[in-house]
DNA sequence: CGGTCAGTATATCGGTCCGATACATCTGCG
DNA sequence: CGCAGATGTATCGGACCGATATACTGACCG
Protein backbone atom coordinates (compact mmCIF):
# COMPACT_ATOMS: atom_id res chain seq x y z
CA UNK A 1 0.00 0.00 0.00
CA UNK A 2 2.77 2.40 0.91
CA UNK A 3 4.40 1.55 -2.41
CA UNK A 4 1.25 2.66 -4.21
CA UNK A 5 1.00 5.91 -2.26
CA UNK A 6 4.67 6.79 -2.73
CA UNK A 7 4.54 6.14 -6.46
CA UNK A 8 1.39 8.26 -6.72
CA UNK A 9 2.95 11.21 -4.94
CA UNK A 10 6.26 11.04 -6.78
CA UNK A 11 4.28 10.94 -10.02
CA UNK A 12 3.39 14.57 -9.38
CA UNK A 13 6.80 15.83 -8.26
CA UNK A 14 10.17 14.59 -6.96
CA UNK A 15 10.43 14.68 -3.20
CA UNK A 16 12.56 13.60 -0.24
CA UNK A 17 11.40 11.29 2.54
CA UNK A 18 10.37 13.85 5.10
CA UNK A 19 8.29 15.84 2.66
CA UNK A 20 6.77 12.65 1.29
CA UNK A 21 5.56 11.78 4.75
CA UNK A 22 3.94 15.16 5.27
CA UNK A 23 2.18 14.94 1.92
CA UNK A 24 1.11 11.40 2.80
CA UNK A 25 -0.54 12.67 5.97
CA UNK A 26 -2.20 15.51 4.18
CA UNK A 27 -3.46 13.17 1.48
CA UNK A 28 -4.66 10.34 3.67
CA UNK A 29 -5.84 12.27 6.69
CA UNK A 30 -7.36 9.99 9.26
CA UNK A 31 -7.49 6.81 7.21
CA UNK A 32 -3.82 5.93 7.21
CA UNK A 33 -0.68 7.07 8.97
CA UNK A 34 2.57 5.44 7.74
CA UNK A 35 5.53 5.97 10.05
CA UNK A 36 9.15 6.62 9.12
CA UNK A 37 9.88 3.10 10.25
CA UNK A 38 8.04 1.89 7.16
CA UNK A 39 8.74 4.80 4.84
CA UNK A 40 12.51 4.68 4.68
CA UNK A 41 12.86 0.92 4.24
CA UNK A 42 10.18 1.05 1.53
CA UNK A 43 12.00 3.86 -0.24
CA UNK A 44 15.10 1.67 -0.26
CA UNK A 45 13.15 -1.31 -1.57
CA UNK A 46 11.57 0.77 -4.32
CA UNK A 47 14.93 2.15 -5.35
CA UNK A 48 16.47 -1.31 -5.53
CA UNK A 49 13.52 -2.36 -7.70
CA UNK A 50 14.24 0.63 -10.00
CA UNK A 51 10.74 2.03 -9.56
CA UNK A 52 12.16 5.24 -8.13
CA UNK A 53 15.62 6.83 -8.44
CA UNK A 54 17.69 9.21 -6.39
CA UNK A 55 18.07 12.59 -8.02
CA UNK A 56 21.60 13.92 -8.23
CA UNK A 57 21.98 16.58 -5.54
CA UNK A 58 22.64 20.05 -6.92
CA UNK A 59 25.80 21.13 -5.17
CA UNK A 60 25.01 24.84 -5.28
CA UNK A 61 21.69 24.38 -3.56
CA UNK A 62 23.16 21.83 -1.21
CA UNK A 63 25.64 24.38 0.09
CA UNK A 64 22.73 26.64 0.94
CA UNK A 65 19.97 24.20 1.87
CA UNK A 66 19.48 21.53 4.46
CA UNK A 67 22.10 18.85 4.57
CA UNK A 68 22.07 15.41 3.03
CA UNK A 69 18.53 15.14 1.76
CA UNK A 70 17.82 12.42 -0.72
CA UNK A 71 15.39 13.52 -3.36
CA UNK A 72 13.60 10.70 -5.14
CA UNK A 73 11.87 10.76 -8.50
CA UNK A 74 9.71 8.18 -10.18
CA UNK A 75 11.15 6.17 -13.11
CA UNK A 76 9.43 4.99 -16.30
CA UNK A 77 9.16 1.54 -14.73
CA UNK A 78 7.66 3.10 -11.65
CA UNK A 79 5.01 4.83 -13.72
CA UNK A 80 4.08 1.51 -15.31
CA UNK A 81 3.82 -0.09 -11.91
CA UNK A 82 1.64 2.74 -10.63
CA UNK A 83 -0.67 2.38 -13.62
CA UNK A 84 -1.05 -1.34 -12.81
CA UNK A 85 -1.83 -0.67 -9.17
CA UNK A 86 -4.28 2.04 -10.20
CA UNK A 87 -6.52 -0.33 -12.18
CA UNK A 88 -6.41 -3.09 -9.58
CA UNK A 89 -9.85 -3.53 -8.04
CA UNK A 90 -9.29 -6.90 -6.34
CA UNK A 91 -10.65 -7.93 -2.94
CA UNK A 92 -7.75 -6.41 -0.99
CA UNK A 93 -8.68 -2.99 -2.34
CA UNK A 94 -11.81 -2.96 -0.19
CA UNK A 95 -9.91 -3.47 3.04
CA UNK A 96 -10.09 -0.69 5.62
CA UNK A 97 -6.46 0.09 5.03
CA UNK A 98 -6.34 0.00 1.24
CA UNK A 99 -9.63 1.63 0.40
CA UNK A 100 -8.67 5.09 1.59
CA UNK A 101 -5.42 5.06 -0.33
CA UNK A 102 -7.15 3.98 -3.52
CA UNK A 103 -9.83 6.60 -3.13
CA UNK A 104 -7.19 9.29 -2.63
CA UNK A 105 -6.05 8.54 -6.19
CA UNK A 106 -9.53 8.25 -7.69
CA UNK A 107 -9.16 11.31 -9.86
CA UNK A 108 -6.49 9.36 -11.75
CA UNK A 109 -8.27 6.00 -11.88
CA UNK A 110 -10.64 4.99 -14.70
CA UNK A 111 -14.34 5.45 -13.95
CA UNK A 112 -15.17 1.75 -14.26
CA UNK A 113 -12.40 0.77 -11.82
CA UNK A 114 -13.63 3.41 -9.38
CA UNK A 115 -17.05 1.85 -9.62
CA UNK A 116 -15.84 -1.67 -8.90
CA UNK A 117 -13.82 -0.51 -5.89
CA UNK A 118 -16.75 1.46 -4.49
CA UNK A 119 -19.14 -1.46 -4.92
CA UNK A 120 -16.66 -3.95 -3.49
CA UNK A 121 -16.11 -1.72 -0.51
CA UNK A 122 -19.84 -1.44 0.03
CA UNK A 123 -20.25 -5.22 -0.03
CA UNK A 124 -17.44 -5.49 2.51
CA UNK A 125 -18.94 -2.95 4.88
CA UNK A 126 -22.40 -4.48 4.51
CA UNK A 127 -20.99 -7.85 5.58
CA UNK A 128 -19.52 -6.29 8.69
CA UNK A 129 -22.81 -4.54 9.37
CA UNK A 130 -24.70 -7.85 9.17
CA UNK A 131 -22.23 -9.48 11.54
CA UNK A 132 -22.72 -6.67 14.02
CA UNK A 133 -26.50 -6.85 13.72
CA UNK A 134 -26.44 -10.58 14.35
CA UNK A 135 -24.32 -10.42 17.50
CA UNK A 136 -26.28 -7.44 18.78
CA UNK A 137 -29.48 -9.38 18.27
CA UNK A 138 -28.55 -12.87 19.42
CA UNK A 139 -25.71 -12.51 21.92
CA UNK A 140 -26.84 -9.33 23.60
CA UNK A 141 -27.76 -11.17 26.79
CA UNK A 142 -24.32 -12.74 27.15
CA UNK A 143 -22.67 -9.37 26.65
CA UNK A 144 -22.17 -6.52 29.12
CA UNK A 145 -23.22 -2.89 28.81
CA UNK A 146 -19.82 -1.63 27.59
CA UNK A 147 -19.37 -4.23 24.90
CA UNK A 148 -22.90 -3.64 23.72
CA UNK A 149 -22.21 0.08 23.56
CA UNK A 150 -19.08 -0.65 21.53
CA UNK A 151 -21.07 -2.75 19.08
CA UNK A 152 -23.85 -0.20 18.84
CA UNK A 153 -21.28 2.42 17.90
CA UNK A 154 -19.68 0.06 15.37
CA UNK A 155 -23.04 -0.68 13.80
CA UNK A 156 -23.80 3.02 13.56
CA UNK A 157 -20.48 3.66 11.87
CA UNK A 158 -20.92 0.91 9.30
CA UNK A 159 -24.45 2.06 8.53
CA UNK A 160 -23.22 5.58 7.92
CA UNK A 161 -20.43 4.32 5.69
CA UNK A 162 -22.86 2.30 3.58
CA UNK A 163 -25.04 5.39 3.13
CA UNK A 164 -21.98 7.44 2.21
CA UNK A 165 -20.86 4.81 -0.30
CA UNK A 166 -24.35 4.78 -1.81
CA UNK A 167 -24.17 8.50 -2.40
CA UNK A 168 -20.75 8.22 -3.98
CA UNK A 169 -21.94 5.41 -6.24
CA UNK A 170 -25.06 7.34 -7.24
CA UNK A 171 -22.88 10.32 -8.08
CA UNK A 172 -20.60 8.16 -10.22
CA UNK A 173 -23.59 6.77 -12.10
CA UNK A 174 -24.93 10.26 -12.73
CA UNK A 175 -21.54 11.33 -14.10
CA UNK A 176 -21.46 8.28 -16.33
CA UNK A 177 -24.89 9.03 -17.77
CA UNK A 178 -23.86 12.59 -18.39
CA UNK A 179 -20.77 11.55 -20.36
CA UNK A 180 -22.78 9.05 -22.40
CA UNK A 181 -25.07 11.71 -23.76
CA UNK B 1 -3.24 -6.70 22.66
CA UNK B 2 -4.14 -10.24 21.68
CA UNK B 3 -2.43 -11.40 24.85
CA UNK B 4 -4.77 -9.19 26.87
CA UNK B 5 -7.86 -10.41 25.05
CA UNK B 6 -6.92 -14.10 25.34
CA UNK B 7 -6.20 -13.80 29.03
CA UNK B 8 -9.51 -12.00 29.52
CA UNK B 9 -11.50 -14.69 27.77
CA UNK B 10 -9.74 -17.61 29.42
CA UNK B 11 -10.39 -15.91 32.72
CA UNK B 12 -14.05 -16.78 32.27
CA UNK B 13 -13.64 -20.35 31.01
CA UNK B 14 -11.07 -22.74 29.48
CA UNK B 15 -11.21 -22.87 25.70
CA UNK B 16 -9.43 -24.16 22.61
CA UNK B 17 -8.05 -21.94 19.84
CA UNK B 18 -10.93 -22.14 17.41
CA UNK B 19 -13.52 -21.31 20.02
CA UNK B 20 -11.34 -18.53 21.37
CA UNK B 21 -11.31 -16.92 17.98
CA UNK B 22 -15.07 -17.07 17.63
CA UNK B 23 -15.51 -15.50 21.07
CA UNK B 24 -12.93 -12.88 20.14
CA UNK B 25 -14.98 -11.90 17.10
CA UNK B 26 -18.17 -11.82 19.07
CA UNK B 27 -16.54 -9.71 21.76
CA UNK B 28 -14.70 -7.24 19.57
CA UNK B 29 -17.11 -7.01 16.68
CA UNK B 30 -15.96 -4.52 14.12
CA UNK B 31 -13.11 -2.98 16.06
CA UNK B 32 -10.63 -5.83 15.84
CA UNK B 33 -10.26 -9.08 13.96
CA UNK B 34 -7.24 -11.25 14.94
CA UNK B 35 -6.45 -14.03 12.51
CA UNK B 36 -5.30 -17.56 13.23
CA UNK B 37 -1.92 -16.53 11.97
CA UNK B 38 -1.54 -14.44 15.12
CA UNK B 39 -3.67 -16.48 17.48
CA UNK B 40 -1.82 -19.79 17.44
CA UNK B 41 1.69 -18.36 17.75
CA UNK B 42 0.48 -16.14 20.59
CA UNK B 43 -1.08 -19.12 22.35
CA UNK B 44 2.30 -20.84 22.12
CA UNK B 45 4.09 -17.79 23.44
CA UNK B 46 1.68 -17.46 26.36
CA UNK B 47 2.06 -21.11 27.23
CA UNK B 48 5.86 -20.86 27.22
CA UNK B 49 5.53 -17.85 29.52
CA UNK B 50 3.34 -19.95 31.85
CA UNK B 51 0.45 -17.48 31.65
CA UNK B 52 -1.80 -20.20 30.26
CA UNK B 53 -1.60 -23.99 30.40
CA UNK B 54 -2.87 -26.88 28.33
CA UNK B 55 -5.62 -28.83 30.02
CA UNK B 56 -5.23 -32.60 30.07
CA UNK B 57 -7.60 -34.03 27.40
CA UNK B 58 -10.36 -36.19 28.86
CA UNK B 59 -10.08 -39.45 26.97
CA UNK B 60 -13.76 -40.36 27.23
CA UNK B 61 -14.87 -37.16 25.65
CA UNK B 62 -12.07 -37.38 23.14
CA UNK B 63 -13.44 -40.65 21.82
CA UNK B 64 -16.76 -39.00 21.18
CA UNK B 65 -15.86 -35.43 20.27
CA UNK B 66 -13.73 -33.85 17.64
CA UNK B 67 -10.13 -34.88 17.49
CA UNK B 68 -6.95 -33.35 18.81
CA UNK B 69 -8.16 -30.10 20.31
CA UNK B 70 -5.94 -28.30 22.75
CA UNK B 71 -7.90 -26.73 25.57
CA UNK B 72 -6.13 -23.90 27.35
CA UNK B 73 -6.82 -22.50 30.79
CA UNK B 74 -5.42 -19.44 32.53
CA UNK B 75 -2.83 -19.90 35.31
CA UNK B 76 -2.40 -17.94 38.54
CA UNK B 77 0.44 -16.04 36.89
CA UNK B 78 -1.80 -15.32 33.95
CA UNK B 79 -4.45 -13.85 36.22
CA UNK B 80 -1.86 -11.55 37.75
CA UNK B 81 -0.73 -10.45 34.32
CA UNK B 82 -4.32 -9.80 33.25
CA UNK B 83 -4.90 -7.68 36.36
CA UNK B 84 -1.83 -5.59 35.45
CA UNK B 85 -2.99 -5.09 31.88
CA UNK B 86 -6.45 -4.21 33.13
CA UNK B 87 -5.29 -1.20 35.15
CA UNK B 88 -2.94 0.07 32.46
CA UNK B 89 -4.24 3.38 31.11
CA UNK B 90 -1.08 4.50 29.26
CA UNK B 91 -0.97 6.31 25.91
CA UNK B 92 -1.08 3.10 23.87
CA UNK B 93 -4.47 2.29 25.36
CA UNK B 94 -6.07 5.12 23.39
CA UNK B 95 -4.90 3.79 20.03
CA UNK B 96 -7.58 2.74 17.57
CA UNK B 97 -6.54 -0.88 17.99
CA UNK B 98 -6.22 -1.04 21.75
CA UNK B 99 -9.13 1.08 22.83
CA UNK B 100 -11.82 -1.34 21.69
CA UNK B 101 -10.19 -4.27 23.44
CA UNK B 102 -9.85 -2.34 26.68
CA UNK B 103 -13.43 -1.17 26.53
CA UNK B 104 -14.61 -4.74 25.97
CA UNK B 105 -13.24 -5.52 29.44
CA UNK B 106 -14.50 -2.35 31.10
CA UNK B 107 -16.94 -4.19 33.35
CA UNK B 108 -13.88 -5.70 35.03
CA UNK B 109 -11.71 -2.58 35.15
CA UNK B 110 -11.77 -0.10 38.06
CA UNK B 111 -13.92 2.98 37.53
CA UNK B 112 -11.02 5.41 37.76
CA UNK B 113 -9.00 3.52 35.15
CA UNK B 114 -12.04 3.47 32.86
CA UNK B 115 -12.22 7.21 33.25
CA UNK B 116 -8.59 7.79 32.35
CA UNK B 117 -8.83 5.58 29.27
CA UNK B 118 -12.01 7.29 28.11
CA UNK B 119 -10.51 10.76 28.56
CA UNK B 120 -7.23 9.78 26.92
CA UNK B 121 -9.10 8.34 23.98
CA UNK B 122 -11.11 11.54 23.67
CA UNK B 123 -7.96 13.65 23.62
CA UNK B 124 -6.56 11.38 20.93
CA UNK B 125 -9.62 11.61 18.72
CA UNK B 126 -9.85 15.37 19.22
CA UNK B 127 -6.29 15.72 17.97
CA UNK B 128 -7.14 13.81 14.84
CA UNK B 129 -10.23 15.93 14.40
CA UNK B 130 -8.18 19.12 14.60
CA UNK B 131 -5.72 17.77 12.03
CA UNK B 132 -8.57 16.98 9.67
CA UNK B 133 -10.15 20.41 10.19
CA UNK B 134 -6.85 22.10 9.42
CA UNK B 135 -6.17 20.26 6.17
CA UNK B 136 -9.79 20.63 5.09
CA UNK B 137 -9.53 24.34 5.69
CA UNK B 138 -6.07 25.19 4.38
CA UNK B 139 -5.22 22.60 1.76
CA UNK B 140 -8.66 22.17 0.23
CA UNK B 141 -7.65 23.94 -2.96
CA UNK B 142 -4.68 21.64 -3.59
CA UNK B 143 -6.87 18.60 -3.05
CA UNK B 144 -9.29 16.91 -5.44
CA UNK B 145 -12.95 16.13 -4.94
CA UNK B 146 -12.45 12.52 -3.87
CA UNK B 147 -9.79 13.23 -1.30
CA UNK B 148 -11.88 16.05 0.09
CA UNK B 149 -14.84 13.71 0.35
CA UNK B 150 -12.62 11.20 2.20
CA UNK B 151 -11.55 13.86 4.67
CA UNK B 152 -15.08 15.14 5.15
CA UNK B 153 -16.17 11.63 6.04
CA UNK B 154 -13.19 11.22 8.37
CA UNK B 155 -14.01 14.48 10.11
CA UNK B 156 -17.62 13.44 10.52
CA UNK B 157 -16.56 10.14 12.04
CA UNK B 158 -14.18 11.71 14.54
CA UNK B 159 -16.80 14.29 15.55
CA UNK B 160 -19.30 11.53 16.20
CA UNK B 161 -16.78 9.58 18.22
CA UNK B 162 -16.02 12.60 20.40
CA UNK B 163 -19.72 13.08 21.08
CA UNK B 164 -20.08 9.39 21.90
CA UNK B 165 -17.09 9.54 24.25
CA UNK B 166 -18.60 12.59 25.95
CA UNK B 167 -21.78 10.68 26.65
CA UNK B 168 -19.86 7.72 28.04
CA UNK B 169 -17.80 10.02 30.26
CA UNK B 170 -20.90 11.82 31.50
CA UNK B 171 -22.48 8.48 32.30
CA UNK B 172 -19.39 7.40 34.25
CA UNK B 173 -19.46 10.62 36.24
CA UNK B 174 -23.12 10.17 37.08
CA UNK B 175 -22.42 6.63 38.28
CA UNK B 176 -19.57 7.89 40.40
CA UNK B 177 -21.71 10.54 42.04
CA UNK B 178 -24.38 7.97 42.73
CA UNK B 179 -21.94 5.64 44.49
CA UNK B 180 -20.52 8.49 46.55
CA UNK B 181 -23.86 9.23 48.13
C1' DC C 1 -22.79 -46.34 -1.76
C1' DG C 2 -19.55 -42.71 -3.08
C1' DG C 3 -18.65 -37.79 -3.85
C1' DT C 4 -18.08 -33.44 -2.28
C1' DC C 5 -18.99 -29.39 0.30
C1' DA C 6 -19.03 -26.85 4.64
C1' DG C 7 -17.58 -26.57 9.30
C1' DT C 8 -14.21 -27.67 12.91
C1' DA C 9 -9.47 -27.57 14.26
C1' DT C 10 -4.28 -26.57 14.42
C1' DA C 11 -0.31 -24.62 12.50
C1' DT C 12 3.52 -22.04 9.59
C1' DC C 13 5.53 -18.46 6.77
C1' DG C 14 6.48 -14.25 4.33
C1' DG C 15 5.46 -9.81 4.44
C1' DT C 16 3.64 -5.12 6.00
C1' DC C 17 3.65 -1.82 9.15
C1' DC C 18 4.34 0.54 13.77
C1' DG C 19 6.77 2.57 17.81
C1' DA C 20 10.84 3.44 20.01
C1' DT C 21 15.13 5.00 19.42
C1' DA C 22 19.29 7.16 17.65
C1' DC C 23 21.65 10.76 15.59
C1' DA C 24 22.76 15.12 13.10
C1' DT C 25 21.61 19.81 11.36
C1' DC C 26 19.34 24.19 11.03
C1' DT C 27 16.26 28.11 12.89
C1' DG C 28 14.44 31.19 15.99
C1' DC C 29 13.79 32.77 20.61
C1' DG C 30 15.03 34.70 24.93
C1' DC D 1 25.05 31.88 24.15
C1' DG D 2 22.18 27.95 24.90
C1' DC D 3 18.50 25.28 23.85
C1' DA D 4 13.98 24.04 22.21
C1' DG D 5 11.72 22.67 18.09
C1' DA D 6 11.47 21.65 13.38
C1' DT D 7 13.95 19.19 9.68
C1' DG D 8 15.99 15.04 8.07
C1' DT D 9 17.59 9.95 7.58
C1' DA D 10 17.81 5.51 9.42
C1' DT D 11 17.42 0.75 12.12
C1' DC D 12 15.34 -2.82 14.91
C1' DG D 13 12.15 -5.73 17.42
C1' DG D 14 7.67 -6.93 17.53
C1' DA D 15 2.55 -7.28 16.33
C1' DC D 16 -0.45 -8.73 13.19
C1' DC D 17 -2.41 -10.39 8.62
C1' DG D 18 -3.36 -13.35 4.54
C1' DA D 19 -2.38 -17.26 2.14
C1' DT D 20 -1.66 -21.76 2.61
C1' DA D 21 -1.36 -26.68 4.27
C1' DT D 22 -3.37 -30.46 6.67
C1' DA D 23 -6.88 -33.47 8.52
C1' DC D 24 -11.19 -35.07 10.52
C1' DT D 25 -16.51 -34.95 10.76
C1' DG D 26 -21.30 -34.45 9.35
C1' DA D 27 -24.84 -33.65 6.06
C1' DC D 28 -26.85 -33.56 1.69
C1' DC D 29 -27.40 -35.33 -3.09
C1' DG D 30 -27.77 -38.59 -6.62
Amino acid sequence: MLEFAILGLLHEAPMHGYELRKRLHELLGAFRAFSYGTLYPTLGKLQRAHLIAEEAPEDDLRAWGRRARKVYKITAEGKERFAELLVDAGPQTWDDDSFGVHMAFFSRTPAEVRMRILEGRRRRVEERREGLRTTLGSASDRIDRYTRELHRMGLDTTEREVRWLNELIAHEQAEQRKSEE
Side-chain angles (χ1 to χ4, degrees), chain A residues 154-172:
Chain A
L155 180 55
D156 240 56
T157 304
T158 56
E159 282 172 347
R160 297 191 94 250
E161 188 172 345
V162 170
R163 263 178 271 137
W164 179 66
L165 255 6
N166 280 335
E167 282 168 34
L168 291 175
I169 288 167
H171 190 279
E172 289 288 317

Side-chain angles (χ1 to χ4, degrees), chain A residues 50 71 91 98 114-115 137 140-141 169 180:
Chain A
H50 305 291
V71 177
S98 313
R114 273 194 318 244
M115 207 50 175
S140 68
D141 46 334
I169 288 167
E180 273 169 10

Side-chain angles (χ1 to χ4, degrees), chain A residues 80-146:
Chain A
E80 276 174 49
R81 177 83 179 127
F82 181 65
E84 283 171 33
L85 292 170
L86 210 48
V87 298
D88 173 27
Q92 344 85 303
T93 62
W94 29 91
D95 285 359
D96 283 354
D97 284 349
S98 313
F99 174 72
V101 181
H102 276 271
M103 183 154 168
F105 291 113
F106 260 16
S107 59
R108 285 185 256 172
T109 102
E112 109 229 10
V113 177
R114 273 194 318 244
M115 207 50 175
R116 265 188 292 144
I117 292 177
L118 250 16
E119 283 168 349
R121 175 65 184 172
R122 182 174 54 182
R123 224 170 305 137
R124 183 64 66 90
V125 180
E126 280 170 346
E127 275 164 33
R128 180 145 75 190
R129 184 189 60 186
E130 294 318 310
L132 250 2
R133 278 183 182 163
T134 305
T135 61
L136 264 173
S138 69
S140 68
D141 46 334
R142 272 193 292 154
I143 266 171
D144 66 282
R145 185 184 113 67
Y146 293 105

Side-chain angles (χ1 to χ4, degrees), chain A residues 111-112 115 171-181:
Chain A
E112 109 229 10
M115 207 50 175
H171 190 279
E172 289 288 317
Q173 283 166 337
E175 289 283 300
Q176 224 169 311
R177 269 195 301 279
K178 229 188 289 178
S179 68
E180 273 169 10
E181 287 174 0

Side-chain angles (χ1 to χ4, degrees), chain A residues 11-74:
Chain A
H11 210 287
E12 294 169 357
M15 249 176 284
H16 53 96
Y18 193 79
E19 200 184 345
L20 211 34
R21 210 245 173 171
K22 277 201 297 184
R23 293 278 295 114
L24 235 26
H25 270 229
E26 195 183 278
L27 184 69
L28 302 173
F31 278 92
R32 210 88 185 49
F34 292 123
S35 85
Y36 293 118
T38 322
L39 181 60
Y40 287 110
T42 304
L43 246 17
K45 207 189 79 186
L46 255 28
Q47 191 179 7
R48 279 194 301 282
H50 305 291
L51 301 177
I52 64 175
E54 230 171 290
E55 256 189 358
E58 296 182 37
D59 296 284
D60 320 273
L61 283 174
R62 188 163 158 258
W64 161 83
R66 275 142 197 78
R67 55 96 217 195
R69 324 190 279 184
K70 291 185 181 178
V71 177
Y72 295 97
K73 62 171 182 233
I74 195 168

